[in-house]
Amino acid sequence: RMFHDDELEESEKFYVGQPRVLLLIYALYNTLVARSEMVCYFVIILNHMISASMITLVLPILIFLWAMLSVPRPSKRFWMTAIVYTEVAIVIKYFFQFGFFPWNKHVDYTKDKPYHPPNIIGIEKKEGYVHYDLVQLLALFFHRSILKCHGLWDEDEKGDSSSNKEDTDDELSLTGGRRDSSASLKSVNLAASVESIHVHFPEQQTAIRRKSSSSISQLSHRSSFSSHSNQSKGMVSLQSMKAVRAILDIFKNMNHTTLSLHSLQCKLCVIKSHCGLCCFRTLQVYVPIRQFFYNLIHPDYSAVTDVYVLMFLADTVDFIIIVFGFWAFGKHSAAADITSSLSEDQVPEAFLVMVLIQFGTMVVDRALYLKKTVMGKVIFQVILVFGIHFWMFFILPGVTERKFSQNTVAQLWYFVKCVYFGLSAYQIRCGYPTRVLGNFLTKSYNYVNLFLFQGFRLVPFLTELRAVMDWVWTDTTLSLSSWICVEDIYAHIFILKCWRESEKRYPQPRGQKKKKVVKYGMGGMIIVLLICIVWFPLLFMSLIKSVAGITNKPLDVSITITLGGYQPIFTMSAQQNQLKSLDPNEFNEFLRSYRGNTAALQFLEGYAREDITRADLEGNSNSLWTISPPSRQKMIHGLLDFDADFTLVISWTIQRGKKYEIFDFSFFSRTLEEVYPYYIKAPSDSLAKPIKQLLKGMYCKWENITVSLVKNTSEEWWVLNQLGKRQKTPQESLELFIFSDKVSPPSLGFLAGYGIMGLYASVVLVIGKFVREFFSGISHSIMFEELPNVDRILKLCTDIFLVRETGELELEEDLYAKLIFLYRSPETMIKWTREKT
């Protein structure tokens, strides 16, 4: 065999024979080496998320606007810039850790202030101030070693040296041999006595490779200055202004038409003679940046790719983070709940702003994707990078009054946005695809794509919004209604194609009955689902309080007694220590007292010991009886008139949480016998009322109370005493048992508030309507649902998409007319959808 080596074979056998754990470690290390630049990016972003200062802000911006946009890879200048900048940052942070600086004397007081200048700059004194910077520097040196091992570290310098050999300091050189004056210029060397700047012109050839976008580092510096430098510094004249105009004319026209050699040499002579130092310094920065973005927007070739789906998913994750963590983007809303805010018809400002911004960026990104404009994407990338970093690290800490490093939700949102920035930079570097055909979920025909596509169509307004945006930003001759018609037909045909492919993968033999697995699996699941929907309200309302219910004990129990509508004679309330729960012995004794009462025992089964509260009310009224003498005499005459009924009104108020339940009871009698309700039920959603099941029977009647008027000089008040109390006390008092119903948890309160009838009307009937649509009206859609072979119709739809992308708009109209005719003609549809023989 050729290239046979026994030692290599033995080495490979030895490697294969290693344990799986060791092989996994080898694979992880190789992955780390292959993606070492991504490790550097991750560490830099992580360092910025932890530190969140101006010192660490520079490198993430350079990553998204320089490194990730460089073709084919970031240049040596970027990595040297990152290494040197990290080293300088470490030295600066170390220097400002000394205690003699004024801001380091009150660290505990200023460490949590987001707008404290040392915190903003990143020079505050803290523990572990340089840990992440050292990890970042270690990752950068590791990547540099990988580049040196593969010979990629000095690649840019070799390119610079080769280009410098071809160029001279004082004249224009043409590459590729002798050319005419009308030939394209490859490079212009603007040689000044101070520094030289290389301006690259794109050639109009098709067989050349794309120049490296890292030309931001393609600057050649001179190590010495000539005597002309001193003259150029002090020269400010009309000739210098003309020279500047000449430079601007050159840069204005260098990318459109080739300049004649004679005119260019004349302008170079003027520039070399009269241009000032500051002008060249400005051009030294401007020209490479302009050339960098020009090569990025106008590449000679590009590896077209499509990562819009991944960018959309990243934006969707950010959208979900905003919805469920909106409180992290507002002031004094750390304990807020979006459901409670919306239930109270209050839209938080922070939530509204973040949602609108996120949704707006998704719409703009979709528009740029459909228009396939790389320039617009570059501008959008620059605006987003600067805008989001400025907002997240300078505006948001002031709004939330918390440092970014203390806001976990904002850190998570920023990290996902960094993933979006990386994908966006990769899309810019590779270029947009030339053709956008259909939905990304319709690329293959299987169950996964089918269910994902149907779930995508179930999202409210998403399908409609996508269709309208595609129609707005795509060149087409179809009207909006025709466009939507084509999209609907394509979606329907795709679903049919998925079902037909599944039938081919899992064929059903003729004359064979369905398997029990299919019948009980699918049919049984549907039966259980329908039964659960029908009985859902009853099950929900029954289990919500018995299983997940929360005990809601009363906070205040008040009783008021009024005679005949006059001034109340008795008012008293029980709070805190006067509201007592039953101990186990008292509760068991309470149950034994109703052993023969079936209705009472059935009622008590729904309550546990912690649901019963005993209220001990003082017998003396807490307010004086301030009735006027005429009303007093009138009330006495009414009481002495035994032929007429006199009204006794007993009212009580039970306060539980933030709800108030009041019930008034009227009793007509000449005496105060059996007027006091001993047991009261406090429901969660209605008025408190006596418990009839416990107030019936020989020993369970309404209680008798004694009423007496006590006088003390000019003051008088009423005293009430309950005769049949369970807790015997020598003082005059009233005793009351309150049975508190459990309430639903706050998370399910919005659903439990509808009640049984409300749930039936709002949930069961609505779901029943949708279910009925699947079981009725099938006969009207047989013609379009039972299509044996949909390949030709699917190809016709994709042909419409294809000719639209290629600009054949007349052909698009013809194919659309053909599709409409096909759906209007049943005979043609039958011919088109026959199985292939």
Side-chain angles (χ1 to χ4, degrees):
R1 291 181 298 173
M2 295 183 63
F3 308 110
H4 175 70
D5 193 343
D6 294 334
E7 293 184 0
L8 291 178
E9 286 191 357
E10 292 294 332
S11 175
E12 186 174 355
K13 291 180 180 179
F14 173 78
Y15 176 77
V16 173
Q18 297 299 315
R20 291 184 179 272
V21 178
L22 189 60
L23 293 178
L24 177 62
I25 295 175
Y26 288 156
L28 293 177
Y29 175 75
N30 292 331
T31 303
L32 187 67
V33 171
R35 299 296 180 184
S36 56
E37 73 277 3
M38 300 303 296
V39 176
C40 294
Y41 298 157
F42 174 76
V43 174
I44 291 173
I45 293 172
L46 181 63
N47 184 19
H48 182 51
M49 290 172 58
I50 300 300
S51 302
S53 61
M54 293 180 62
I55 292 180
T56 57
L57 178 63
V58 177
L59 289 182
I61 294 179
L62 292 181
I63 286 176
F64 299 128
L65 298 183
W66 181 7
M68 287 189 173
L69 296 179
S70 300
V71 177
R73 65 186 65 85
S75 62
K76 175 184 176 181
R77 172 156 298 186
F78 169 78
W79 297 116
M80 287 301 299
T81 301
I83 292 173
V84 173
Y85 186 85
T86 304
E87 293 173 346
V88 172
I90 292 174
V91 174
I92 292 176
K93 289 184 177 181
Y94 172 75
F95 177 74
F96 284 101
Q97 295 301 308
F98 292 103
F100 56 76
F101 289 102
W103 55 82
N104 288 339
K105 297 179 181 178
H106 306 284
V107 177
D108 295 335
Y109 176 72
T110 60
K111 64 179 181 179
D112 293 330
K113 290 187 176 182
Y115 281 167
H116 186 55
N119 295 341
I120 297 177
I121 300 174
I123 56 176
E124 74 278 9
K125 184 178 181 180
K126 61 180 180 179
E127 296 292 335
Y129 64 95
V130 80
H131 289 170
Y132 288 94
D133 294 283
L134 293 177
V135 174
Q136 175 178 315
L137 189 62
L138 181 63
L140 291 173
F141 278 119
F142 174 74
H143 179 65
R144 189 185 70 164
S145 66
I146 298 300
L147 292 180
K148 285 188 174 183
C149 289
H150 293 83
L152 300 176
W153 181 251
D154 298 326
E155 185 181 27
D156 296 330
E157 291 184 354
K158 295 177 182 179
D160 289 344
S161 61
S162 63
S163 62
N164 290 336
K165 291 178 181 179
E166 295 177 358
D167 297 337
T168 60
D169 291 336
D170 299 319
E171 64 181 3
L172 181 82
S173 63
L174 299 176
T175 61
R178 270 286 195 210
R179 297 185 182 178
D180 297 332
S181 60
S182 60
S184 301
L185 298 179
K186 182 177 182 180
S187 64
V188 177
N189 187 3
L190 304 179
S193 58
V194 181
E195 295 185 28
S196 64
I197 303 174
H198 294 276
V199 183
H200 298 276
F201 292 82
E203 294 188 351
Q204 304 295 329
Q205 300 177 4
T206 57
I208 62 174
R209 291 178 58 85
R210 174 179 176 174
K211 295 181 289 296
S212 175
S213 297
S214 59
S215 60
I216 194 170
S217 62
Q218 304 295 329
L219 298 176
S220 61
H221 300 279
R222 296 289 183 261
S223 60
S224 63
F225 294 91
S226 64
S227 60
H228 295 287
S229 60
N230 297 327
Q231 299 176 2
S232 63
K233 291 180 181 179
M235 185 175 297
V236 180
S237 62
L238 181 61
Q239 293 180 349
S240 297
M241 299 299 297
K242 293 181 179 179
V244 174
R245 293 193 185 97
I247 295 174
L248 296 178
D249 291 340
I250 292 176
F251 295 132
K252 181 178 180 181
N253 300 322
M254 69 179 184
N255 294 320
H256 303 287
T257 59
T258 58
L259 301 175
S260 64
L261 183 61
H262 177 70
S263 60
L264 187 58
Q265 287 177 344
C266 293
K267 293 184 179 180
L268 288 177
C269 293
V270 177
I271 295 170
K272 291 171 64 178
S273 302
H274 305 288
C275 190
L277 180 61
C278 62
C279 180
F280 275 97
R281 291 282 175 86
T282 304
L283 294 176
Q284 183 180 359
V285 176
Y286 168 74
V287 173
I289 294 177
R290 185 183 189 280
Q291 189 66 27
F292 175 79
F293 285 104
Y294 181 85
N295 292 339
L296 192 65
I297 298 173
H298 303 90
D300 294 325
Y301 75 93
S302 60
V304 175
T305 187
D306 188 359
V307 293
Y308 172 76
V309 176
L310 299 178
M311 290 191 294
F312 178 78
L313 291 178
D315 276 335
T316 304
V317 173
D318 269 341
F319 191 84
I320 295 174
I321 293 174
I322 293 173
V323 171
F324 290 97
F326 78 101
W327 49 267
F329 305 99
K331 184 178 181 180
H332 303 308
S333 55
D337 185 10
I338 185 62
T339 56
S340 61
S341 299
L342 295 179
S343 62
E344 297 173 359
D345 296 331
Q346 296 179 357
V347 180
E349 295 180 359
F351 170 75
L352 181 61
V353 171
M354 287 299 299
V355 165
L356 292 180
I357 291 177
Q358 184 65 39
F359 192 77
T361 56
M362 296 171 70
V363 172
V364 173
D365 207 8
R366 179 68 180 178
L368 295 174
Y369 174 70
L370 294 174
K371 298 300 291 185
K372 307 179 186 67
T373 168
V374 179
M375 178 181 292
K377 184 64 176 176
V378 171
I379 297 174
F380 187 61
Q381 174 88 344
V382 173
I383 294 174
L384 272 186
V385 168
F386 281 104
I388 287 180
H389 281 86
F390 179 77
W391 188 85
M392 293 294 292
F393 298 99
F394 296 99
I395 304 298
L396 183 64
V399 174
T400 60
E401 297 183 353
R402 285 182 294 170
K403 295 174 63 177
F404 179 82
S405 57
Q406 299 173 348
N407 196 336
T408 307
V409 177
Q411 288 179 326
L412 180 61
W413 187 89
Y414 173 72
F415 181 77
V416 178
K417 184 58 70 173
C418 288
V419 174
Y420 167 82
F421 285 147
L423 294 171
S424 181
Y426 180 71
Q427 183 72 79
I428 294 172
R429 191 175 61 194
C430 297
Y432 279 113
T434 56
R435 296 179 179 88
V436 180
L437 304 179
N439 195 312
F440 73 96
L441 295 173
T442 61
K443 304 303 180 183
S444 58
Y445 311 104
N446 49 47
Y447 281 122
V448 176
N449 288 65
L450 172 63
F451 295 139
L452 288 178
F453 182 72
Q454 289 182 333
F456 171 81
R457 288 172 58 85
L458 289 176
V459 178
F461 301 107
L462 184 58
T463 304
E464 294 79 4
L465 184 61
R466 175 183 177 273
V468 175
M469 287 194 300
D470 291 358
W471 179 76
V472 170
W473 288 303
T474 304
D475 297 331
T476 181
T477 60
L478 301 181
S479 63
L480 179 59
S481 59
S482 301
W483 180 285
I484 296 176
C485 179
V486 174
E487 291 290 333
D488 185 66
I489 293 175
Y490 178 71
H492 179 66
I493 295 300
F494 169 76
I495 294 173
L496 291 180
K497 176 66 176 177
C498 291
W499 287 118
R500 297 300 172 263
E501 289 296 323
S502 66
E503 291 174 358
K504 292 179 181 179
R505 294 190 186 98
Y506 311 102
Q508 173 71 22
R510 293 185 60 186
Q512 183 176 352
K513 64 180 180 180
K514 291 291 183 181
K515 297 181 180 179
K516 293 185 178 180
V517 176
V518 178
K519 297 180 70 175
Y520 286 100
M522 181 182 297
M525 184 175 62
I526 294 176
I527 292 173
V528 172
L529 182 61
L530 293 177
I531 292 175
C532 291
I533 292 175
V534 171
W535 299 107
F536 167 75
L538 295 178
L539 292 174
F540 179 80
M541 297 304 296
S542 175
L543 298 177
I544 192 63
K545 295 182 180 180
S546 61
V547 177
I550 301 174
T551 302
N552 190 15
K553 293 186 177 181
L555 303 178
D556 180 87
V557 177
S558 301
I559 288 183
T560 303
I561 298 178
T562 306
L563 289 176
Y566 295 97
Q567 185 75 16
I569 65 173
F570 181 84
T571 56
M572 179 53 65
S573 62
Q575 298 176 351
Q576 298 179 356
N577 296 333
Q578 297 172 336
L579 299 175
K580 302 177 182 179
S581 300
L582 300 181
D583 56 31
N585 295 330
E586 292 177 346
F587 181 69
N588 294 331
E589 182 65 26
F590 185 82
L591 293 179
R592 283 194 294 268
S593 63
Y594 293 98
R595 184 173 299 173
N597 193 338
T598 307
L601 292 176
Q602 183 179 1
F603 172 81
L604 292 174
E605 285 181 357
Y607 295 89
R609 181 176 60 85
E610 58 272 10
D611 297 332
I612 304 175
T613 303
R614 186 180 72 244
D616 296 331
L617 294 98
E618 180 70 22
N620 295 285
S621 178
N622 59 5
S623 61
L624 297 176
W625 195 41
T626 57
I627 189 172
S628 63
S631 299
R632 181 190 184 101
Q633 293 297 327
K634 188 176 181 179
M635 186 183 69
I636 294 175
H637 290 302
L639 290 173
L640 295 176
D641 188 2
F642 296 101
D643 295 331
D645 293 332
F646 198 82
T647 305
L648 172 68
V649 179
I650 300 178
S651 63
W652 53 83
T653 304
I654 299 176
Q655 177 184 347
R656 298 195 310 163
K658 295 183 180 180
K659 299 179 180 179
Y660 298 87
E661 295 88 6
I662 301 176
F663 176 80
D664 292 336
F665 174 76
S666 298
F667 186 82
F668 297 92
S669 175
R670 299 178 183 272
T671 63
L672 297 181
E673 295 180 357
E674 298 183 1
V675 296
Y676 184 70
Y678 201 12
Y679 310 106
I680 294 179
K681 179 181 179 181
S684 59
D685 55 353
S686 61
L687 300 178
K689 51 190 175 182
I691 303 175
K692 298 180 180 180
Q693 294 89 337
L694 303 182
L695 295 175
K696 294 179 180 180
M698 182 180 300
Y699 302 102
C700 304
K701 299 179 180 180
W702 293 67
E703 296 295 330
N704 301 332
I705 59 175
T706 61
V707 180
S708 60
L709 181 63
V710 179
K711 295 183 179 181
N712 183 8
T713 64
S714 61
E715 297 176 349
E716 56 183 1
W717 65 91
W718 292 85
V719 178
L720 275 70
N721 185 33
Q722 181 182 351
L723 299 180
K725 292 180 294 202
R726 289 181 176 271
Q727 190 74 19
K728 304 297 183 181
T729 56
Q731 297 84 7
E732 293 85 358
S733 63
L734 299 177
E735 195 175 63
L736 189 67
F737 282 86
I738 299 98
F739 291 77
S740 302
D741 283 352
K742 285 184 169 56
V743 295
S744 60
S747 58
L748 299 175
F750 70 99
L751 191 59
Y754 287 103
I756 296 178
M757 299 306 298
L759 287 177
Y760 267 109
S762 60
V763 178
V764 177
L765 295 181
V766 173
I767 296 178
K769 181 180 179 181
F770 285 102
V771 172
R772 180 61 57 85
E773 292 181 357
F774 290 97
F775 289 87
S776 63
I778 299 177
S779 59
H780 303 291
S781 59
I782 291 178
M783 174 182 173
F784 306 104
E785 296 288 346
E786 301 299 329
L787 302 178
N789 189 354
V790 295
D791 292 344
R792 299 181 66 181
I793 304 177
L794 189 63
K795 186 177 183 303
L796 179 59
C797 294
T798 54
D799 289 343
I800 294 176
F801 300 152
L802 183 61
V803 298
R804 180 190 300 152
E805 292 292 329
T806 56
E808 300 290 340
L809 301 183
E810 293 183 359
L811 187 56
E812 180 192 15
E813 289 185 355
D814 296 339
L815 293 178
Y816 173 72
K818 185 177 182 180
L819 180 64
I820 296 302
F821 174 77
L822 182 63
Y823 270 80
R824 292 180 57 203
S825 176
E827 296 180 357
T828 310
M829 178 69 77
I830 293 174
K831 294 179 181 179
W832 267 56
T833 56
R834 287 175 178 171
E835 286 287 354
K836 296 179 181 179
T837 57

